[in-house]
mmCIF file of all heavy atoms in Angstrom:
data_model
loop_
_atom_site.group_PDB
_atom_site.id
_atom_site.type_symbol
_atom_site.label_atom_id
_atom_site.label_comp_id
_atom_site.label_asym_id
_atom_site.label_seq_id
_atom_site.Cartn_x
_atom_site.Cartn_y
_atom_site.Cartn_z
ATOM 1 N N ALA A 2 0.663 2.098 -0.975
ATOM 2 C CA ALA A 2 1.460 3.274 -1.016
ATOM 3 C C ALA A 2 1.209 4.283 -0.003
ATOM 4 O O ALA A 2 2.019 4.928 0.506
ATOM 5 C CB ALA A 2 1.346 3.924 -2.408
ATOM 6 N N ASP A 3 -0.103 4.435 0.332
ATOM 7 C CA ASP A 3 -0.592 5.379 1.321
ATOM 8 C C ASP A 3 -0.876 4.815 2.672
ATOM 9 O O ASP A 3 -1.765 3.863 2.748
ATOM 10 C CB ASP A 3 -1.763 6.115 0.835
ATOM 11 C CG ASP A 3 -2.424 7.163 1.666
ATOM 12 O OD1 ASP A 3 -1.763 7.448 2.711
ATOM 13 O OD2 ASP A 3 -3.355 7.754 1.321
ATOM 14 N N SER A 4 -0.012 5.116 3.618
ATOM 15 C CA SER A 4 -0.208 4.490 4.921
ATOM 16 C C SER A 4 -1.495 4.580 5.512
ATOM 17 O O SER A 4 -1.936 3.765 6.353
ATOM 18 C CB SER A 4 0.889 4.878 5.918
ATOM 19 O OG SER A 4 0.849 6.289 6.068
ATOM 20 N N ARG A 5 -2.252 5.679 5.199
ATOM 21 C CA ARG A 5 -3.629 5.946 5.722
ATOM 22 C C ARG A 5 -4.608 4.891 5.341
ATOM 23 O O ARG A 5 -5.513 4.654 5.998
ATOM 24 C CB ARG A 5 -4.128 7.330 5.287
ATOM 25 C CG ARG A 5 -3.371 8.516 6.047
ATOM 26 C CD ARG A 5 -3.770 9.805 5.485
ATOM 27 N NE ARG A 5 -3.287 9.917 4.182
ATOM 28 C CZ ARG A 5 -3.342 11.028 3.457
ATOM 29 N NH1 ARG A 5 -3.968 12.058 3.965
ATOM 30 N NH2 ARG A 5 -2.925 11.056 2.151
ATOM 31 N N ALA A 6 -4.271 4.295 4.103
ATOM 32 C CA ALA A 6 -5.152 3.144 3.707
ATOM 33 C C ALA A 6 -5.040 1.867 4.635
ATOM 34 O O ALA A 6 -5.989 1.004 4.673
ATOM 35 C CB ALA A 6 -4.668 2.690 2.297
ATOM 36 N N LYS A 7 -4.064 1.837 5.579
ATOM 37 C CA LYS A 7 -4.028 0.756 6.459
ATOM 38 C C LYS A 7 -4.791 1.025 7.742
ATOM 39 O O LYS A 7 -5.035 0.095 8.609
ATOM 40 C CB LYS A 7 -2.394 0.644 6.975
ATOM 41 C CG LYS A 7 -1.518 0.163 5.900
ATOM 42 C CD LYS A 7 -0.149 0.112 6.438
ATOM 43 C CE LYS A 7 0.921 -0.239 5.454
ATOM 44 N NZ LYS A 7 2.231 -0.366 6.165
ATOM 45 N N LEU A 8 -5.352 2.283 7.969
ATOM 46 C CA LEU A 8 -6.028 2.622 9.062
ATOM 47 C C LEU A 8 -7.598 2.122 8.862
ATOM 48 O O LEU A 8 -8.251 2.645 7.852
ATOM 49 C CB LEU A 8 -6.160 4.135 9.371
ATOM 50 C CG LEU A 8 -4.849 4.764 10.090
ATOM 51 C CD1 LEU A 8 -3.555 4.363 9.449
ATOM 52 C CD2 LEU A 8 -5.049 6.127 10.349
ATOM 53 N N LEU A 9 -7.993 1.242 9.650
ATOM 54 C CA LEU A 9 -9.423 0.708 9.429
ATOM 55 C C LEU A 9 -10.244 0.733 10.763
ATOM 56 O O LEU A 9 -9.661 0.672 11.865
ATOM 57 C CB LEU A 9 -9.314 -0.788 8.962
ATOM 58 C CG LEU A 9 -8.526 -1.135 7.690
ATOM 59 C CD1 LEU A 9 -8.415 -2.632 7.566
ATOM 60 C CD2 LEU A 9 -9.147 -0.395 6.507
ATOM 61 N N GLY A 10 -11.517 0.763 10.481
ATOM 62 C CA GLY A 10 -12.504 0.595 11.669
ATOM 63 C C GLY A 10 -12.579 -0.811 11.958
ATOM 64 O O GLY A 10 -12.087 -1.745 11.215
ATOM 65 N N ARG A 11 -13.094 -1.181 13.093
ATOM 66 C CA ARG A 11 -13.185 -2.599 13.545
ATOM 67 C C ARG A 11 -13.911 -3.519 12.544
ATOM 68 O O ARG A 11 -13.512 -4.672 12.300
ATOM 69 C CB ARG A 11 -13.729 -2.674 15.010
ATOM 70 C CG ARG A 11 -12.831 -2.172 15.989
ATOM 71 C CD ARG A 11 -13.512 -2.302 17.367
ATOM 72 N NE ARG A 11 -12.544 -1.920 18.483
ATOM 73 C CZ ARG A 11 -12.760 -2.243 19.638
ATOM 74 N NH1 ARG A 11 -13.715 -2.786 20.136
ATOM 75 N NH2 ARG A 11 -11.824 -1.750 20.562
ATOM 76 N N GLU A 12 -15.024 -3.079 12.123
ATOM 77 C CA GLU A 12 -15.837 -3.958 11.187
ATOM 78 C C GLU A 12 -15.057 -4.270 9.911
ATOM 79 O O GLU A 12 -14.984 -5.380 9.492
ATOM 80 C CB GLU A 12 -17.158 -3.300 10.833
ATOM 81 C CG GLU A 12 -18.168 -4.186 10.157
ATOM 82 C CD GLU A 12 -18.450 -5.456 10.754
ATOM 83 O OE1 GLU A 12 -18.577 -5.559 11.998
ATOM 84 O OE2 GLU A 12 -18.628 -6.519 10.120
ATOM 85 N N GLU A 13 -14.442 -3.255 9.261
ATOM 86 C CA GLU A 13 -13.753 -3.489 7.999
ATOM 87 C C GLU A 13 -12.523 -4.365 8.277
ATOM 88 O O GLU A 13 -12.156 -5.250 7.555
ATOM 89 C CB GLU A 13 -13.259 -2.127 7.460
ATOM 90 C CG GLU A 13 -12.422 -2.261 6.240
ATOM 91 C CD GLU A 13 -13.076 -2.798 4.881
ATOM 92 O OE1 GLU A 13 -14.223 -2.863 4.912
ATOM 93 O OE2 GLU A 13 -12.328 -3.269 4.114
ATOM 94 N N LEU A 14 -11.871 -4.127 9.482
ATOM 95 C CA LEU A 14 -10.618 -4.976 9.857
ATOM 96 C C LEU A 14 -11.153 -6.389 10.040
ATOM 97 O O LEU A 14 -10.415 -7.361 9.553
ATOM 98 C CB LEU A 14 -10.097 -4.437 11.128
ATOM 99 C CG LEU A 14 -8.902 -5.201 11.650
ATOM 100 C CD1 LEU A 14 -7.726 -5.237 10.628
ATOM 101 C CD2 LEU A 14 -8.436 -4.453 12.875
ATOM 102 N N ARG A 15 -12.201 -6.655 10.652
ATOM 103 C CA ARG A 15 -12.645 -8.085 10.867
ATOM 104 C C ARG A 15 -12.904 -8.758 9.579
ATOM 105 O O ARG A 15 -12.520 -9.986 9.294
ATOM 106 C CB ARG A 15 -13.918 -8.082 11.702
ATOM 107 C CG ARG A 15 -13.738 -8.069 13.212
ATOM 108 C CD ARG A 15 -15.043 -8.481 13.950
ATOM 109 N NE ARG A 15 -16.182 -7.649 13.657
ATOM 110 C CZ ARG A 15 -16.520 -6.453 14.368
ATOM 111 N NH1 ARG A 15 -15.625 -6.006 15.260
ATOM 112 N NH2 ARG A 15 -17.433 -5.716 14.085
ATOM 113 N N MET A 16 -13.443 -8.092 8.566
ATOM 114 C CA MET A 16 -13.728 -8.656 7.310
ATOM 115 C C MET A 16 -12.493 -8.930 6.563
ATOM 116 O O MET A 16 -12.260 -10.012 6.027
ATOM 117 C CB MET A 16 -14.654 -7.711 6.466
ATOM 118 C CG MET A 16 -16.011 -7.660 6.939
ATOM 119 S SD MET A 16 -17.243 -6.779 5.913
ATOM 120 C CE MET A 16 -16.513 -5.149 5.813
ATOM 121 N N ARG A 17 -11.486 -8.062 6.623
ATOM 122 C CA ARG A 17 -10.170 -8.202 5.944
ATOM 123 C C ARG A 17 -9.387 -9.430 6.578
ATOM 124 O O ARG A 17 -8.825 -10.286 5.921
ATOM 125 C CB ARG A 17 -9.345 -7.018 5.965
ATOM 126 C CG ARG A 17 -9.976 -5.850 5.220
ATOM 127 C CD ARG A 17 -8.998 -5.165 4.230
ATOM 128 N NE ARG A 17 -9.590 -3.973 3.830
ATOM 129 C CZ ARG A 17 -8.919 -2.900 3.424
ATOM 130 N NH1 ARG A 17 -7.654 -2.811 3.642
ATOM 131 N NH2 ARG A 17 -9.571 -1.887 3.004
ATOM 132 N N LEU A 18 -9.483 -9.499 7.892
ATOM 133 C CA LEU A 18 -8.726 -10.559 8.637
ATOM 134 C C LEU A 18 -9.339 -11.953 8.238
ATOM 135 O O LEU A 18 -8.613 -12.917 8.143
ATOM 136 C CB LEU A 18 -8.682 -10.271 10.087
ATOM 137 C CG LEU A 18 -7.841 -9.104 10.539
ATOM 138 C CD1 LEU A 18 -7.905 -9.012 11.952
ATOM 139 C CD2 LEU A 18 -6.535 -9.216 9.954
ATOM 140 N N GLU A 19 -10.641 -11.935 8.142
ATOM 141 C CA GLU A 19 -11.273 -13.203 7.675
ATOM 142 C C GLU A 19 -10.661 -13.806 6.347
ATOM 143 O O GLU A 19 -10.477 -14.919 6.142
ATOM 144 C CB GLU A 19 -12.733 -13.059 7.665
ATOM 145 C CG GLU A 19 -13.519 -14.484 7.478
ATOM 146 C CD GLU A 19 -13.062 -15.463 8.528
ATOM 147 O OE1 GLU A 19 -12.908 -15.098 9.722
ATOM 148 O OE2 GLU A 19 -12.816 -16.627 8.173
ATOM 149 N N LYS A 20 -10.507 -12.833 5.441
ATOM 150 C CA LYS A 20 -9.922 -13.257 4.098
ATOM 151 C C LYS A 20 -8.468 -13.721 4.290
ATOM 152 O O LYS A 20 -8.156 -14.723 3.709
ATOM 153 C CB LYS A 20 -9.947 -12.065 3.232
ATOM 154 C CG LYS A 20 -11.338 -11.693 2.661
ATOM 155 C CD LYS A 20 -11.339 -10.532 1.840
ATOM 156 C CE LYS A 20 -12.804 -10.081 1.602
ATOM 157 N NZ LYS A 20 -12.952 -8.801 0.766
ATOM 158 N N HIS A 21 -7.730 -13.135 5.174
ATOM 159 C CA HIS A 21 -6.358 -13.615 5.542
ATOM 160 C C HIS A 21 -6.418 -14.975 6.082
ATOM 161 O O HIS A 21 -5.561 -15.799 5.758
ATOM 162 C CB HIS A 21 -5.637 -12.595 6.336
ATOM 163 C CG HIS A 21 -5.172 -11.342 5.687
ATOM 164 N ND1 HIS A 21 -4.187 -11.315 4.834
ATOM 165 C CD2 HIS A 21 -5.752 -10.113 5.853
ATOM 166 C CE1 HIS A 21 -4.055 -10.031 4.423
ATOM 167 N NE2 HIS A 21 -4.936 -9.318 5.088
ATOM 168 N N ARG A 22 -7.337 -15.242 6.990
ATOM 169 C CA ARG A 22 -7.512 -16.457 7.619
ATOM 170 C C ARG A 22 -7.780 -17.594 6.663
ATOM 171 O O ARG A 22 -7.320 -18.701 6.801
ATOM 172 C CB ARG A 22 -8.534 -16.520 8.753
ATOM 173 C CG ARG A 22 -8.046 -16.124 10.021
ATOM 174 C CD ARG A 22 -9.132 -16.416 11.102
ATOM 175 N NE ARG A 22 -8.910 -15.499 12.181
ATOM 176 C CZ ARG A 22 -9.279 -14.191 12.258
ATOM 177 N NH1 ARG A 22 -10.045 -13.730 11.318
ATOM 178 N NH2 ARG A 22 -9.092 -13.383 13.249
ATOM 179 N N GLN A 23 -8.678 -17.289 5.675
ATOM 180 C CA GLN A 23 -9.105 -18.199 4.629
ATOM 181 C C GLN A 23 -7.891 -18.580 3.753
ATOM 182 O O GLN A 23 -7.848 -19.738 3.262
ATOM 183 C CB GLN A 23 -10.271 -17.684 3.829
ATOM 184 C CG GLN A 23 -11.579 -17.530 4.482
ATOM 185 C CD GLN A 23 -12.544 -16.660 3.730
ATOM 186 O OE1 GLN A 23 -12.270 -16.296 2.623
ATOM 187 N NE2 GLN A 23 -13.717 -16.565 4.340
ATOM 188 N N ARG A 24 -6.940 -17.695 3.652
ATOM 189 C CA ARG A 24 -5.652 -17.991 2.968
ATOM 190 C C ARG A 24 -4.609 -18.753 3.812
ATOM 191 O O ARG A 24 -3.512 -18.973 3.374
ATOM 192 C CB ARG A 24 -5.108 -16.819 2.416
ATOM 193 C CG ARG A 24 -5.998 -16.160 1.247
ATOM 194 C CD ARG A 24 -5.269 -15.074 0.543
ATOM 195 N NE ARG A 24 -4.806 -13.802 1.266
ATOM 196 C CZ ARG A 24 -5.624 -12.852 1.303
ATOM 197 N NH1 ARG A 24 -6.697 -12.699 0.614
ATOM 198 N NH2 ARG A 24 -5.316 -11.850 2.056
ATOM 199 N N GLY A 25 -4.980 -19.023 5.189
ATOM 200 C CA GLY A 25 -4.085 -19.761 5.979
ATOM 201 C C GLY A 25 -3.104 -18.835 6.670
ATOM 202 O O GLY A 25 -2.060 -19.274 7.231
ATOM 203 N N GLU A 26 -3.290 -17.555 6.552
ATOM 204 C CA GLU A 26 -2.268 -16.606 7.160
ATOM 205 C C GLU A 26 -2.457 -16.426 8.721
ATOM 206 O O GLU A 26 -3.608 -16.342 9.114
ATOM 207 C CB GLU A 26 -2.321 -15.198 6.415
ATOM 208 C CG GLU A 26 -1.895 -15.442 4.998
ATOM 209 C CD GLU A 26 -2.215 -14.163 4.133
ATOM 210 O OE1 GLU A 26 -3.238 -13.414 4.420
ATOM 211 O OE2 GLU A 26 -1.400 -13.868 3.227
#
Side-chain angles (χ1 to χ4, degrees):
D3 184 358
S4 58
R5 288 175 293 187
K7 296 180 182 181
L8 279 57
L9 300 176
R11 287 182 176 193
E12 186 60 36
E13 175 69 17
L14 179 58
R15 277 194 302 272
M16 289 189 300
R17 293 224 192 152
L18 294 181
E19 190 51 43
K20 290 177 184 174
H21 288 286
R22 269 191 209 83
Q23 289 170 0
R24 292 192 292 265
E26 295 172 325

